[in-house]
Amino acid sequence: MLHRKTWAALVVGLVGTVGAWAQKAELTVYTALEIDQLKAYQESFNKAHPDIAIKWVRDSTGVITAKLLAEKANPKADVIMGVAASSLALFDKNDMLQGYAPKNLAAVTPQYRDGRNPPHWVGMDVFGATICFNTVEAKKRNIPVPTSWHDLTKPEFKGQVVMPNPASSGTGYFDVVAWLQLFGDDSGKGGGWKYMDALHENIAQYTHSGSKPCNMAAQGEYVAGISFEYRGHVNKSKGAPIELVFPKEGLGWDLEGTAIYKGTKNLEAAQKLADWSASKDAMQLYGKNFAVTAVPGVAPKLDSIPADYESRLIKLDFAKMADTRERVLGEWTRRYDGKSEAKK
């Protein structure tokens, strides 16, 4: 039987422990950030805010978007971070986001944030289209390096192209949006759809993630993987026999951003994460992965990414991307989903 003083000491110890737990806020953060980015971002944030624990809920952009919309009546997220601005615009349209002006907002490029005051979302970095082209496999098949999107529809690329499914991948969605804008869209009959019809003939598979096509090309499974520049840069820097191709017609892109979920019970902690996400320290970390950050002049020049990369990005209207998303994805699925990677 424990002595009364021993019991008292145990109770005091437990109260102290519970108090420490109570002081550490836990944020549930929904994200589509790459797994190999999360550790560095979290470590930097926790260095500034050791009293806030982050519980990540991570998946590809399309899956996270669908999950958040499905949970609208019973939300679980406190913050949405590293999710495409086109999806953030969709959440905002559904009255799911709370306005907040992070401390470094004045340094953010206006086109890379929501235009209201306070903004409902603030950008982190741009992720844009690239073709990961395996030079070794291409040489075996006598396939020349493409310079345009239309080159991928040529007979020599038959069965040698992989790209992300736009219903599950933000990268895939901005590709489709770009082609419709560049080549024309007339409710399923325009030049953009004709281009995708021709491309579909050469597609081996539509993958669920935006990274996978580049990974498959890097491993020599296919000659060309339509992906985004971060994954291409990482794979090439690790020695993969790929060249990054930036088609001359223009590049689709989107913006990773951060937003506070409306009605969060952890508002103060959520605001601290939003502050960190827009800070110079965070932008420097993003700049190790992406050629363009929302705060200019921070990102170093990345090997394999052209110096004029930002000027090659097409003009985008995130609100329009949100408004037309359901129609565009419905049409795309009806036409091309037969070659999609099997769902897990």
Side-chain angles (χ1 to χ4, degrees):
M1 187 171 178
L2 289 175
H3 191 274
R4 184 180 298 173
K5 288 184 178 179
T6 306
W7 271 113
L10 281 173
V11 169
V12 169
L14 284 171
V15 168
T17 302
V18 170
W21 285 342
Q23 290 171 3
K24 192 155 189 170
E26 182 178 90
L27 281 179
T28 299
V29 182
Y30 279 43
T31 187
L33 288 166
E34 297 292 297
I35 292 172
D36 47 8
Q37 298 166 359
L38 285 178
K39 184 179 179 182
Y41 296 174
Q42 179 162 339
E43 285 179 351
S44 178
F45 173 70
N46 281 144
K47 189 175 180 180
H49 299 287
D51 57 328
I52 300 174
I54 294 179
K55 177 185 175 184
W56 297 104
V57 178
R58 188 211 166 271
D59 215 312
S60 60
T61 302
V63 175
I64 283 292
T65 300
K67 183 174 176 65
L68 281 159
L69 290 171
E71 292 175 358
K72 180 184 173 184
N74 185 27
K76 298 175 174 62
D78 296 303
V79 176
I80 305 167
M81 179 180 177
V83 174
S86 56
S87 291
L88 295 176
L90 182 61
F91 303 146
D92 199 27
K93 183 182 176 183
N94 281 271
D95 196 29
M96 295 162 63
L97 305 183
Q98 182 162 323
Y100 177 66
K103 291 179 180 178
N104 199 37
L105 182 64
V108 175
T109 302
Q111 70 178 24
Y112 296 149
R113 48 158 287 192
D114 175 38
R116 284 167 295 182
N117 188 20
H120 285 209
W121 57 264
V122 175
M124 298 162 55
D125 48 70
V126 168
F127 61 111
T130 193
I131 299 169
C132 296
F133 183 78
N134 189 301
T135 53
V136 173
E137 294 302 316
K139 189 174 181 180
K140 291 178 185 177
R141 294 170 172 80
N142 198 30
I143 299 176
V145 178
T147 61
S148 73
W149 290 117
H150 285 284
D151 284 346
L152 296 182
T153 67
K154 292 179 178 178
E156 56 262 37
F157 280 95
K158 183 77 173 179
Q160 289 299 322
V161 183
V162 280
M163 74 163 280
N165 183 323
S168 62
S169 163
T171 302
Y173 183 55
F174 73 55
D175 284 325
V176 171
V177 168
W179 296 330
L180 294 175
Q181 184 170 315
L182 289 167
F183 309 136
D185 174 24
D186 185 20
S187 299
K189 298 177 183 179
W193 294 107
K194 290 177 181 176
Y195 169 74
M196 285 184 274
D197 286 346
L199 180 65
H200 182 70
E201 294 300 310
N202 287 349
I203 291 286
Q205 186 182 70
Y206 297 104
T207 66
H208 284 306
S209 86
S211 288
K212 191 170 183 178
C214 189
N215 293 340
M216 296 170 99
Q219 293 159 10
E221 295 178 57
Y222 299 98
V223 169
I226 299 172
S227 189
F228 62 107
E229 91 289 356
Y230 164 74
R231 185 52 59 197
H233 167 71
V234 170
N235 286 345
K236 186 173 172 61
S237 67
K238 289 180 178 178
I242 57 173
E243 291 298 327
L244 304 190
V245 176
F246 300 90
K248 61 187 180 184
E249 299 97 332
L251 306 175
W253 61 283
D254 209 326
L255 186 69
E256 289 185 322
T258 298
I260 296 174
Y261 202 102
K262 191 172 186 178
T264 173
K265 296 177 181 176
N266 296 299
L267 180 59
E268 185 178 352
Q271 289 173 339
K272 288 179 180 178
L273 180 56
D275 286 338
W276 178 86
S277 179
S279 70
K280 185 176 179 180
D281 286 346
M283 294 291 163
Q284 288 174 334
L285 284 179
Y286 309 153
K288 292 180 179 181
N289 302 319
F290 297 93
V292 179
T293 55
V295 172
V298 173
K301 171 72 173 68
L302 297 180
D303 294 338
S304 307
I305 309 297
D308 66 344
Y309 172 75
E310 192 169 10
S311 68
R312 302 186 186 203
L313 306 175
I314 66 170
K315 291 185 178 180
L316 278 186
D317 181 335
F318 293 118
K320 183 179 179 182
M321 287 176 75
D323 288 343
T324 60
R325 180 183 176 88
E326 186 174 351
R327 173 183 66 80
V328 168
L329 292 180
E331 182 68 20
W332 187 94
T333 300
R334 182 184 71 80
R335 288 174 179 254
Y336 313 123
D337 200 39
K339 288 188 179 180
S340 289
E341 178 182 14
K343 293 182 180 179
K344 297 175 183 178

